[in-house]
């Protein structure tokens, strides 16, 4: 069967149309800032789009997430990135978005605490608990061992519990 040059572009456009909301949530979980999340997702999609024909489409979500994690780490290391001010003001999702994601008001109250975690802990916690990835999937996305995921998740959750108790949100972190 022959493939026209338009088919990969159409497949990629369909992928983006279908998966963008979930991938944007993942970008937000990684970047913790709505504007940076948009930039992060767009940058990752541009990179993935240029390699679409070489990507196993069953692993496309993981490939995009991994690209976002790598890009976020790269931005974090860049000098200009350190000059930006990240705000803890969070966009209020629409009731439909909350219903589709299963997230309640408590999740939004935790975002400032999650945003304050070191990047490796924030990524591990976000991917494990906000994106509901397994330890193995999280390790693949982050490019580290399952032990590193467990360690970063454990440290991140301990910090979240401590900070939640200090700010009156202890009932939100189990």
């Amino acid at each position: 069967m022959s493939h026209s040059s338009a088919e990969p572009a159409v497949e990629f456009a369909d992928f983006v149309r279908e998966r963008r909301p979930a991938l944007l949530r993942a970008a937000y979980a990684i970047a913790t800032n709505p504007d940076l999340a948009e930039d992060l997702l767009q940058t990752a999609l541009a990179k993935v789009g240029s390699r679409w024909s070489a990507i196993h489409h069953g692993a496309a979500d993981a490939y995009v997430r991994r690209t976002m994690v790598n890009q976020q780490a790269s931005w974090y290391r860049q000098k200009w990135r350190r000059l930006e001010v990240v705000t803890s003001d969070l966009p209020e999702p629409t009731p439909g978005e909350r219903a589709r994601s299963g997230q309640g008001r408590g999740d939004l109250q935790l975002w400032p605490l999650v945003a304050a975690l070191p990047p490796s802990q924030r990524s591990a916690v976000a991917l494990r608990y906000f994106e509901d990835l397994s330890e193995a999937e999280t390790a693949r996305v982050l490019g580290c061992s399952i032990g590193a995921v467990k360690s970063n998740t454990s440290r991140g959750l301990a910090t979240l519990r401590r900070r939640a108790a200090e700010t009156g949100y202890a009932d939100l972190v189990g």
Side-chain angles (χ1 to χ4, degrees):
M1 172 166 86
S2 69
H3 294 296
S4 73
S5 61
E7 284 185 35
V10 170
E11 288 175 359
F12 181 67
D14 290 345
F15 168 77
V16 171
R17 201 173 10 268
E18 180 182 325
R19 299 300 304 149
R20 188 179 189 288
L23 292 170
L24 185 57
R25 282 192 304 274
Y28 186 75
I30 293 165
T32 69
N33 173 293
D35 295 326
L36 288 176
E38 286 281 351
D39 291 346
L40 187 61
L41 179 57
Q42 286 302 98
T43 301
L45 289 174
K47 289 180 178 185
V48 170
S50 69
R51 296 190 32 80
W52 186 250
S53 60
I55 295 171
H56 182 269
H57 298 167
D61 273 17
Y63 194 90
V64 172
R65 284 188 180 112
R66 173 61 187 218
T67 302
M68 288 189 299
V69 167
N70 289 345
Q71 186 63 51
Q72 176 69 11
S74 174
W75 286 348
Y76 187 78
R77 287 187 298 264
Q78 292 175 359
K79 186 175 183 179
W80 69 267
R81 176 68 179 95
R82 293 187 188 126
L83 299 175
E84 288 187 19
V85 176
V86 177
T87 179
S88 63
D89 294 333
L90 302 173
E92 184 67 33
T94 65
E97 289 171 335
R98 271 199 305 276
R100 281 191 301 277
S101 70
Q103 293 181 339
R105 184 75 183 138
D107 291 333
L108 294 176
Q109 292 168 327
L110 286 177
W111 272 116
L113 302 178
V114 173
L117 292 173
S120 59
Q121 292 175 18
R122 181 176 63 235
S123 294
V125 169
L127 292 172
R128 288 281 293 126
Y129 296 101
F130 289 93
E131 285 296 304
D132 200 29
L133 297 183
S134 70
E135 288 171 340
E137 291 168 326
T138 301
R140 272 193 302 278
V141 168
L142 296 177
C144 64
S145 68
I146 292 175
V149 169
K150 289 179 180 182
S151 175
N152 282 318
T153 302
S154 176
R155 287 184 195 134
L157 290 176
T159 300
L160 283 176
R161 285 185 188 106
R162 187 180 74 254
R163 290 180 182 162
E166 293 167 359
T167 58
Y169 293 128
D171 59 321
L172 298 178
V173 182

